[in-house]
Amino acid sequence: MLQLTDIERYYRNGLRKTWVLNRVNLNIKEGEFVTIMGPSGAGKSTLLNILGLLEAPSGGNYEFLGERVDKLSEKKRSELHKAYMGFVFQAYHLIDDLTVYENIETPLLYRGIGKKERKSMVAEILDRFNIVAKQDLFPDQLSGGQQQLVGVARAVISKPRLLLADEPTGNLHTKQGDQIMELFRELNKDGVTIIQVTHSERNAAYGTRKIELLDGNIQEDQYLESASAL
Amino acid sequence: MWRNYLNIAIRTMWKNRLFSSINISGLALGLAVAILITLYIRHETTVDQWLPEGERTYRIYRYWADTDGAWAYTPRPLSKTIVAELPEVEAASFLFSDSDILFTAGDTHHYVEHLGYVDSTFLEVLSIPLLYGDEQTALASPESVIISENIAQLLFGTAANAIGASINFNDEMQLSVTGVYANLNGRSHLHHDALMRLPYEMDGWLNFSFETYTKLTKASDPELVAKKIDQLVKPFLLQAYNEANFEVSEDEISHWGLQPFRQIYLNSGEINAITVSLGSARYVYIFGFIALLVLLIAGINYVNLSTARASGRVQEIGIRKVSGAERKHLIIQFLAESVLQSLLALMIALPLVQITLPIFSEITGRELAFMAKPEWPLLFSVLGGTVCLGLLAGTYPALILSGFKTSLILKGDNKTKRKGYNLRHVLVTTQFVGVVVLAIMMGVMYRQLNYMLQQDLGFNSEQIIQIPLNYDDSWRKLEARKSDWLEYEGIHSITTASALPGDRVGNITIEIEHSDGQYVSPDMINVSPGYDEVLGLKVLEGRFISDEHPGDTSLNFVVNEAFAEAYELKKPIVGQRIRFPWEENWGQIVGVVKNYHYSGLDHQIRPLVFSGRANNRMHAAIKVDAAHWSTIASLITQQMRAIEPAHPFRHHFLDEHFAQQYVKYQQLSKTLRYSTLLTIIVAMLGVFGLAVFLSQQKIKEIGIRKVLGASELELVFMLLKRFILIVMAASIIALPIGWWLARKWLEDFAYQMKLDGIPFILAVLLALLVTSLTVCWQAYRAARINPVEALRYE
Ligand SMILES: Nc1ncnc2c1ncn2[C@@H]1O[C@H](COP(=O)(O)OP(=O)(O)OP(=O)(O)O)[C@@H](O)[C@H]1O
Ligand SMILES: [Mg+2]
């Protein structure tokens, strides 16, 4: 599905350059559930942002679905976002002024989907995530786990083929985290490619592949035997 | 303690440079506009107020119980009579106004624009202080004249030189200067450049060409005096009418009223007068309202930006509270900030006023002065007003900011952010209501003026040269040369007349045959044949006054359509007879001309008669071909020298002369235009500040939405949307207000444009446009933000 070749990312600090990503090569196939791990500051988020086209690499080659995407216009990037990608954040990033329903609906608005269809899509996902009762509440009236459920619901409502999640359970208890991971596994079974960043081995065990990042280099890349080990 | 407050205030301001400068420049502009308007209002309200004992001085007017309006036109004997008969009248005097009179001193010529003829007691009634000369004796001699400082300087170099000097009056008599007074123009509704004794016999009770001013004894009741004048004057008038062969019954005689001198300038809307007052109380209110509005808008900017930024200061406030600050300390601190900002704004506003004052004076047509000499009361009230503005603008934010609960703050509560959110919307909406109303008024005034300037006036005013004549018999000499002049290439037609369009037209009493001795008083213009040709008047029936019919230049008349309509003449109108009541012979109506606007579109077209008699005609008009103008000009100059040797030749272009009467409205329209633009700028400063704030506050949301697939355009629209909604809501409120105000204002005009939707639509579009421009730039910047930056965890 996507292919990174010699991807670099550095920040210029005065005259000095500091590399955050150092010639990263990575190939991810459709249907994989990849977990990126590594110590703080290793460049996990940076890598994920590059994969999600939120950040441009300083060098290297990124092919997404067979197309060069490392130097795209804002408009083209936005189109790829809309067509293929969904994002889940550690801090949920729900819009405070919108209700649960409206938050989930938002991506559909930007995809120009008609009102009726929106309604049924949101209803379906609310049902599937078991949050129908919460649909008229505002984010600050929900617990963290509930907020993240909404965050995931919002990320997947537009049926993305690639779901990117940066420490989706970082602010949650283990139990809440497991719930999200179960959801991810289900989505993955339905064919969604997932790339997540996490510090938790427990979460990594839900995935099919684990990548260790250290100082901007891929240290280890292993396929997990059984996704349902736990 | 105070030093501490000041220090913090300065530091906070510096930290929020952008918002502080928006606040300060908004306040500065607001203050500058308000100060300018205050100067204008001060000027308007001080006109005539300086006259000693003005509080018991009055102008006498006439009115009829059954007709609207009043006329400050009185006969000359009135003043003498009331002084002699009524104990309450301490003094009374008349004033006859003439214009364009040549004064010559040595080799220096000057046409005095406004000349007043008075009697010896004039200065007892209106005690205009003399800079030079003695008030008691200045007008004692019939050859004396008192002149304004301006004329003195023009003729004699300095005012002091003028005393005792002699002036040749219109090549008719020698006058001796016995007094010099400070220029009245701008200080008084009287604008006379010189006052002299009346050199003519004009003693009749029926010659209502004089203004009469009177000073009552202390504590006498003007209404009572007016009643007494009614009683006193009635027999004189009845007798005069009788002698003149008028059949006038007792109830047809006018009543008399006294208008307080100090109200003449601003409150003469209902009173027709010889000296037309430029001032209008209504405009003073309008401009006062604008001044308050622009201050309000500047104040609202302050309130909005301060409360909007409150969230950014929550932490500071929490820490202060925890360290023991009481609420009142915080309130004082926030007020110190707002007062400091408004004082800084004043420091910008004052030089701004100084710089723009000459322009503003020109726009308003008033000679305004600011701090020309130290004016402590004004300075203190401006300072006081500024501090008040600061306090008023600072109070609400101070209450909000100081009222945050410490516990909530330290928990990082979100709701503090929303404080003042709704109020902000209400305030911004209020601003836009003001902006849209002003814009509507601006549009309506502009269009009404254009309507007047572009109206088909019913006559042609282009390529017509108007020559003011100076001697009673000049027109005869000119008429004698008429056939010679017409030989010249480029001269189409010539006429002499008592009035051309734009000149004051007198009215006259006329009797219509077979109307039971009913008298009517149409306007009257004395003309020579050719008047219709020069002005391109349309003769609908019969003919205009013509040389070929001897009766036309003696007995016959031409009337306008309005005459026939108003007095219900049956068709055919030509052939019906009218006459002056004091004459035996009837004259025939020989023609009817199509109505034309001889006194501008702010006046209704009145019934009008033309007479070809050999009466006073002080104007000549020549229709020329512009291509030949330079040769014609030298010819006329030369010929006029023969006709009026003592008078330097002058001429005007009729179209320019006619446009003069719209000057008042043009000034108003311009003043309003600039005030509106400034108000809009101040409002937009606030909108800009809010847009900056909003996009800062929404930065996270923008990032999220971007990741969810929002395009830049969609994000710009999201930020713009709420401002657009506010403008729409404000417009809904502003439209009826604007409509009502526009209707009221248009009532002043006899001929109104059709009040259609265009100024309203344009006003709303203007508000939308400037708002969008102001917000878009900021919104676009925000929409372009990198979402990763926006979403980076704190
Ligand atoms: N704008 C920036 N300028 C300079 N350095 C930056 C910038 N953004 C990120 N970095 C650096 O890049 C490195 C990688 O950051 P990144 O956020 O990708 O780490 P991470 O692996 O996600 O860490 P964590 O587990 O703490 O989230 C860090 O050392 C960080 O300091
Ligand atoms: Mg990270």
Side-chain angles (χ1 to χ4, degrees):
Chain A
M1 174 176 226
L2 56 84
Q3 170 80 48
L4 299 184
T5 321
D6 290 344
I7 286 292
E8 291 184 310
R9 180 76 174 106
Y10 51 78
Y11 289 104
R12 221 176 274 276
N13 195 354
L15 285 176
R16 273 207 342 261
K17 288 178 183 172
T18 355
W19 268 265
V20 176
L21 292 179
N22 210 346
R23 294 180 172 277
V24 171
N25 290 289
L26 182 62
N27 187 339
I28 294 174
K29 297 203 176 50
E30 188 123 33
E32 287 192 80
F33 181 169
V34 182
T35 306
I36 302 173
M37 297 190 77
S40 196
K44 305 181 297 291
S45 298
T46 309
L47 179 58
L48 200 71
N49 287 341
I50 289 174
L51 287 169
L53 299 173
L54 294 175
E55 217 172 308
S58 319
N61 196 331
Y62 177 12
E63 271 179 38
F64 182 73
L65 294 173
E67 233 182 295
R68 278 285 296 261
V69 292
D70 39 281
K71 286 187 186 73
L72 280 184
S73 72
E74 165 87 24
K75 201 165 163 229
K76 206 83 179 79
R77 254 188 294 156
S78 173
E79 274 171 19
L80 288 177
H81 279 158
K82 282 198 252 186
Y84 302 111
M85 297 182 187
F87 293 88
V88 179
F89 304 95
Q90 175 176 4
Y92 327 132
H93 286 328
L94 301 180
I95 297 171
D96 297 337
D97 300 331
L98 302 183
T99 62
V100 166
Y101 183 97
E102 290 162 343
N103 262 292
I104 296 174
E105 189 187 27
T106 307
L108 301 181
L109 292 174
Y110 293 128
R111 285 164 178 76
I113 291 169
K115 192 173 175 178
K116 250 203 182 138
E117 206 180 340
R118 284 205 308 267
K119 228 173 159 171
S120 72
M121 287 171 85
V122 177
E124 188 196 316
I125 214 132
L126 284 170
D127 194 36
R128 177 164 168 201
F129 283 40
N130 231 338
I131 43 176
V132 179
K134 312 281 182 214
Q135 62 172 320
D136 291 324
L137 297 182
F138 285 92
D140 54 8
Q141 294 167 307
L142 299 178
S143 75
Q146 289 164 339
Q147 288 192 46
Q148 193 58 299
L149 269 179
V150 176
V152 176
R154 187 180 63 181
V156 301
I157 185 144
S158 55
K159 309 218 160 61
R161 283 164 66 180
L162 176 61
L163 182 67
L164 298 156
D166 195 347
E167 301 188 37
T169 61
N171 287 1
L172 303 179
H173 305 303
T174 324
K175 243 185 98 186
Q176 294 171 321
D178 285 346
Q179 200 187 352
I180 300 290
M181 283 303 117
E182 285 294 343
L183 257 174
F184 274 23
R185 186 154 62 189
E186 261 173 57
L187 286 166
N188 182 239
K189 274 190 184 142
D190 292 347
V192 181
T193 311
I194 297 176
I195 306 174
Q196 70 166 345
V197 169
T198 182
H199 286 287
S200 143
E201 285 292 346
R202 190 185 168 91
N203 285 353
Y206 284 86
T208 60
R209 182 178 175 188
K210 193 170 92 175
I211 294 172
E212 274 283 337
L213 210 57
L214 190 67
D215 292 336
N217 295 300
I218 295 183
Q219 196 76 9
E220 209 188 315
D221 184 351
Q222 75 180 114
Y223 288 85
L224 300 178
E225 280 302 304
S226 162
S228 50
L230 277 170
Chain B
M1 198 67 185
W2 277 106
R3 267 185 85 103
N4 187 352
Y5 286 136
L6 192 68
N7 268 334
I8 294 166
I10 291 171
R11 229 172 285 153
T12 317
M13 249 172 52
W14 185 245
K15 221 172 71 199
N16 301 293
R17 283 183 291 274
L18 177 65
F19 289 108
S20 307
S21 42
I22 290 174
N23 269 336
I24 293 175
S25 40
L27 289 171
L29 272 180
L31 280 170
V33 172
I35 292 172
L36 285 173
I37 291 181
T38 307
L39 292 176
Y40 172 82
I41 294 177
R42 182 177 71 153
H43 177 273
E44 294 296 277
T45 49
T46 48
V47 168
D48 278 340
Q49 305 305 307
W50 48 270
L51 187 84
E53 296 173 315
E55 73 286 349
R56 51 193 178 98
T57 308
Y58 299 84
R59 179 169 77 175
I60 302 183
Y61 59 86
R62 305 198 290 154
Y63 66 96
W64 283 265
D66 56 354
T67 13
D68 286 340
W71 285 260
Y73 291 77
T74 59
R76 179 181 170 185
L78 178 68
S79 50
K80 247 186 276 175
T81 310
I82 60 175
V83 173
E85 302 294 333
L86 300 178
E88 293 93 339
V89 175
E90 186 177 297
S93 184
F94 66 79
L95 170 66
F96 182 90
S97 296
D98 206 343
S99 56
D100 266 336
I101 301 296
L102 184 69
F103 273 19
T104 310
D107 299 334
T108 321
H109 300 280
H110 181 73
Y111 282 101
V112 174
E113 218 182 314
H114 302 288
L115 177 63
Y117 302 132
V118 298
D119 68 9
S120 60
T121 63
F122 186 76
L123 290 179
E124 284 171 37
V125 185
L126 303 183
S127 330
I128 299 164
L130 294 185
L131 302 174
Y132 297 94
D134 174 12
E135 283 94 347
Q136 304 293 322
T137 58
L139 291 167
S141 140
E143 283 86 38
S144 54
V145 62
I146 60 177
I147 57 180
S148 70
E149 209 174 356
N150 187 21
I151 299 290
Q153 279 159 359
L154 281 170
L155 291 179
F156 305 106
T158 66
N161 282 349
I163 292 292
S166 77
I167 290 177
N168 180 288
F169 161 75
N170 208 32
D171 198 26
E172 287 173 22
M173 66 190 274
Q174 286 297 122
L175 301 172
S176 162
V177 178
T178 51
V180 178
Y181 53 87
N183 298 332
L184 291 177
N185 219 338
R187 294 199 306 140
S188 170
H189 76 281
L190 299 169
H191 47 206
H192 301 81
D193 304 306
L195 295 164
M196 57 182 273
R197 297 281 298 274
L198 180 68
Y200 310 114
E201 294 283 319
M202 301 167 99
D203 239 349
W205 271 99
L206 297 187
N207 183 350
F208 296 96
S209 324
F210 296 82
E211 282 171 280
T212 300
Y213 293 90
T214 178
K215 185 188 283 178
L216 302 186
T217 54
K218 280 178 191 141
S220 42
D221 173 10
E223 279 183 34
L224 199 73
V225 175
K227 287 218 178 72
K228 285 191 176 178
I229 296 177
D230 272 0
Q231 293 307 315
L232 176 67
V233 168
K234 200 175 270 180
F236 290 107
L237 282 175
L238 279 173
Q239 191 193 345
Y241 281 124
N242 213 358
E243 278 166 13
N245 222 355
F246 275 88
E247 288 163 34
V248 172
S249 76
E250 212 165 297
D251 353 311
E252 284 172 290
I253 302 254
S254 62
H255 299 285
W256 301 85
L258 299 183
Q259 182 186 22
F261 184 84
R262 289 184 173 164
Q263 289 179 16
I264 293 174
Y265 181 69
L266 284 181
N267 296 301
S268 288
E270 301 291 301
I271 299 184
N272 300 293
I274 295 162
T275 316
V276 177
S277 152
L278 265 184
S280 156
R282 182 181 302 173
Y283 294 152
V284 167
Y285 292 131
I286 291 181
F287 285 116
F289 169 74
I290 293 177
L292 285 180
L293 188 70
V294 62
L295 282 183
L296 179 76
I297 288 178
I300 286 179
N301 282 351
Y302 187 89
V303 173
N304 278 341
L305 291 182
S306 312
T307 53
R309 278 187 309 117
S311 56
R313 304 190 64 176
V314 163
Q315 202 134 27
E316 176 202 332
I317 295 160
I319 291 164
R320 280 184 199 287
K321 282 201 163 179
V322 172
S323 2
E326 284 171 38
R327 188 162 183 198
K328 71 168 186 234
H329 295 136
L330 290 171
I331 290 181
I332 294 174
Q333 188 202 315
F334 293 127
L335 287 180
E337 274 169 36
S338 61
V339 171
L340 180 72
Q341 295 201 11
S342 51
L343 288 177
L344 282 176
L346 181 64
M347 273 150 68
I348 300 171
L350 289 179
L352 209 59
V353 168
Q354 292 286 13
I355 293 166
T356 50
L357 194 62
I359 307 166
F360 187 67
S361 294
E362 179 163 342
I363 295 168
T364 53
R366 308 285 191 270
E367 260 181 54
L368 302 175
F370 181 56
M371 300 291 172
K373 47 189 186 303
E375 295 180 276
W376 295 115
L378 180 68
L379 195 60
F380 278 119
S381 37
V382 167
L383 203 64
T386 305
V387 171
C388 280
L389 179 68
L391 288 176
L392 279 175
T395 301
Y396 181 76
L399 289 177
I400 289 283
L401 287 168
S402 64
F404 288 153
K405 291 227 165 49
T406 323
S407 57
L408 288 183
I409 294 170
L410 296 181
K411 258 200 270 168
D413 182 73
N414 226 331
K415 298 212 175 52
T416 45
K417 241 191 259 177
R418 305 233 178 100
K419 268 251 159 88
Y421 182 85
N422 286 327
L423 178 89
R424 229 158 26 239
H425 281 152
V426 172
L427 290 179
V428 178
T429 310
T430 313
Q431 286 184 315
F432 275 106
V433 171
V435 166
V436 174
V437 167
L438 275 185
I440 290 172
M441 290 305 287
M442 180 174 86
V444 170
M445 289 197 186
Y446 185 77
R447 278 166 57 94
Q448 169 70 19
L449 277 177
N450 265 1
Y451 170 82
M452 293 201 294
L453 292 173
Q454 285 165 11
Q455 252 317 289
D456 177 18
L457 295 164
F459 67 93
N460 168 45
S461 63
E462 271 154 44
Q463 307 203 356
I464 295 173
I465 306 301
Q466 183 194 0
I467 303 167
L469 304 177
N470 301 289
Y471 299 97
D472 289 348
D473 61 345
S474 292
W475 68 271
R476 291 177 199 273
K477 294 183 185 165
L478 201 149
E479 289 283 339
R481 288 160 208 250
K482 195 164 163 178
S483 49
D484 291 348
W485 288 22
L486 283 171
E487 301 284 303
Y488 284 90
E489 204 181 353
I491 294 188
H492 293 299
S493 45
I494 303 172
T495 188
T496 54
S498 63
L500 290 167
D503 291 327
R504 207 167 71 219
V505 177
N507 52 12
I508 193 97
T509 307
I510 289 277
E511 186 178 352
I512 302 173
E513 197 180 24
H514 309 306
S515 65
D516 299 330
Q518 180 209 337
Y519 295 132
V520 295
S521 54
D523 288 344
M524 179 160 123
I525 303 179
N526 291 304
V527 295
S528 74
Y531 193 79
D532 59 327
E533 257 176 82
V534 172
L535 294 179
L537 303 183
K538 238 201 209 109
V539 178
L540 298 176
E541 226 187 296
R543 61 165 187 271
F544 199 76
I545 304 283
S546 155
D547 277 325
E548 277 134 49
H549 303 263
D552 284 9
T553 44
S554 54
L555 276 175
N556 292 344
F557 298 96
V558 168
V559 301
N560 68 351
E561 288 173 284
F563 185 98
E565 255 168 60
Y567 307 137
E568 295 165 1
L569 298 193
K570 291 194 190 71
K571 297 221 162 178
I573 292 146
V574 169
Q576 300 194 41
R577 304 207 299 171
I578 58 181
R579 68 173 175 187
F580 299 111
W582 55 90
E583 288 182 355
E584 277 299 318
N585 296 326
W586 292 93
Q588 266 204 4
I589 297 176
V590 297
V592 179
V593 297
K594 194 167 158 38
N595 279 342
Y596 71 103
H597 294 277
Y598 54 91
S599 25
L601 287 169
D602 45 346
H603 297 284
Q604 201 79 38
I605 295 177
R606 296 209 343 114
L608 174 68
V609 288
F610 297 95
S611 158
R613 297 180 174 228
N615 277 342
N616 250 5
R617 296 183 204 153
M618 302 307 275
H619 301 271
I622 306 175
K623 169 88 178 163
V624 299
D625 189 341
H628 300 278
W629 171 231
S630 58
T631 44
I632 298 171
S634 60
L635 161 83
I636 300 176
T637 311
Q638 187 195 335
Q639 296 266 325
M640 284 304 294
R641 199 172 294 144
I643 297 173
E644 299 187 334
H647 289 75
F649 172 63
R650 296 174 302 157
H651 68 273
H652 312 289
F653 296 96
L654 182 63
D655 43 2
E656 289 169 14
H657 176 73
F658 188 75
Q660 277 295 314
Q661 47 190 333
Y662 299 139
V663 160
K664 178 174 167 178
Y665 302 111
Q666 264 161 346
Q667 285 170 350
L668 180 76
S669 169
K670 256 195 204 165
T671 313
L672 194 77
R673 199 146 69 229
Y674 287 102
S675 319
T676 308
L677 288 182
L678 282 170
T679 313
I680 290 177
I681 290 174
V682 175
M684 286 310 129
L685 273 172
V687 167
F688 177 73
L690 273 187
V692 171
F693 164 75
L694 202 73
S695 36
Q696 281 179 4
Q697 195 193 33
K698 293 241 163 193
I699 211 85
K700 199 183 103 181
E701 182 176 335
I702 291 169
I704 298 170
R705 285 184 185 269
K706 236 179 157 175
V707 169
L708 295 179
S711 69
E712 283 173 13
L713 200 68
E714 282 162 328
L715 290 171
V716 168
F717 184 69
M718 178 188 96
L719 288 169
L720 190 57
K721 196 173 66 187
R722 96 169 48 196
F723 287 98
I724 299 286
L725 286 177
I726 289 175
V727 174
M728 296 300 227
S731 300
I732 289 171
I733 303 170
L735 290 178
I737 301 175
W739 190 84
W740 183 80
L741 285 174
R743 279 251 63 91
K744 276 242 135 306
W745 183 71
L746 285 176
E747 277 169 15
D748 277 5
F749 298 89
Y751 297 90
Q752 304 164 5
M753 63 167 200
K754 232 180 84 224
L755 191 57
D756 54 16
I758 291 172
F760 298 88
I761 294 168
L762 285 182
V764 174
L765 286 182
L766 177 74
L768 283 175
L769 184 73
V770 290
T771 307
S772 304
L773 287 178
T774 313
V775 175
C776 267
W777 179 71
Q778 187 52 40
Y780 180 66
R781 266 181 34 157
R784 282 189 53 123
I785 187 130
N786 179 351
V788 179
E789 297 289 327
L791 296 180
R792 178 153 285 139
Y793 315 139
E794 283 95 39

